[in-house]
Amino acid sequence: MIFIHVEGGTRREKELVTEVAYWCQKKLLPRIRNLDMTIKIQKLNIFADVLHADDRVFEMRLRRGMNLYDIVSTVCHEMVHVKQYVRGELGDMGRWKSRRVSDNTSYSDLPWEKEAFKMEEGLALECFKELRFVPK
């Protein structure tokens, strides 16, 4: 069963984040039937992050107060990381596709971040088109 629970934020933020997260799950992990995710909208100094708690259990933290586009693109970016964990591409302790990535690698050069940034805009634009979001 796919379970996505959103905590914090405004009612509109919760609705938007929930809709985008389910859309991303269907787009990025269409064959996955078991996923448990809690998304916490809260005060953060970063846009977001995702924690891999267990096999298919995740916690995403998302900065509150972002504009519509930033919410959608950020959730898309973090859902790429969920896809990476579920498919075994991204492992704990800095492993990417079974290879260790140096601790000295800059954030922008991390292979999992390169993929997430490469995919986020296209996913966000497709999500806007399919879900027909209108700013309120």
Side-chain angles (χ1 to χ4, degrees):
M1 174 178 234
I2 305 299
F3 177 76
I4 298 174
H5 173 74
V6 181
E7 301 174 358
T10 65
R11 182 177 59 82
R12 178 69 179 136
E13 284 174 325
K14 284 181 191 176
E15 290 170 356
L16 179 62
V17 168
T18 300
E19 196 169 359
V20 174
Y22 275 111
W23 181 87
C24 285
Q25 180 274 318
K26 289 176 186 160
K27 190 74 172 172
L28 297 169
L29 298 163
R31 295 185 197 137
I32 297 302
R33 299 290 172 243
N34 294 311
L35 186 72
D36 185 349
M37 178 176 300
T38 300
I39 302 174
K40 297 180 178 181
I41 304 171
Q42 60 192 70
K43 185 177 179 180
L44 290 174
N45 293 327
I46 58 173
F47 278 99
D49 61 11
V50 66
L51 308 169
H52 183 209
D54 202 1
D55 183 32
R56 292 193 179 163
V57 179
F58 299 90
E59 179 180 307
M60 183 187 302
R61 298 183 311 152
L62 189 65
R63 183 196 301 173
R64 73 173 183 219
M66 290 192 285
N67 65 45
L68 177 65
Y69 182 81
D70 285 345
I71 290 172
V72 174
S73 64
T74 301
V75 171
C76 288
H77 178 104
E78 297 305 323
M79 288 299 291
V80 171
H81 293 315
V82 171
K83 183 259 321 169
Q84 293 166 342
Y85 277 118
V86 169
R87 290 189 178 167
E89 299 164 340
L90 176 58
D92 295 327
M93 306 302 292
R95 297 193 73 76
W96 176 249
K97 298 187 177 179
S98 301
R99 293 191 176 138
R100 178 92 173 98
V101 175
S102 171
D103 292 337
N104 297 325
T105 306
S106 69
Y107 174 80
S108 60
D109 287 331
L110 294 168
W112 51 88
E113 291 300 338
K114 283 183 171 184
E115 181 182 54
F117 280 115
K118 183 178 177 181
M119 294 179 70
E120 95 178 36
E121 184 177 3
L123 285 168
L125 294 174
E126 189 176 347
C127 182
F128 269 94
K129 184 178 178 181
E130 287 186 19
L131 298 180
R132 297 185 177 150
F133 288 131
V134 178
K136 289 186 178 183

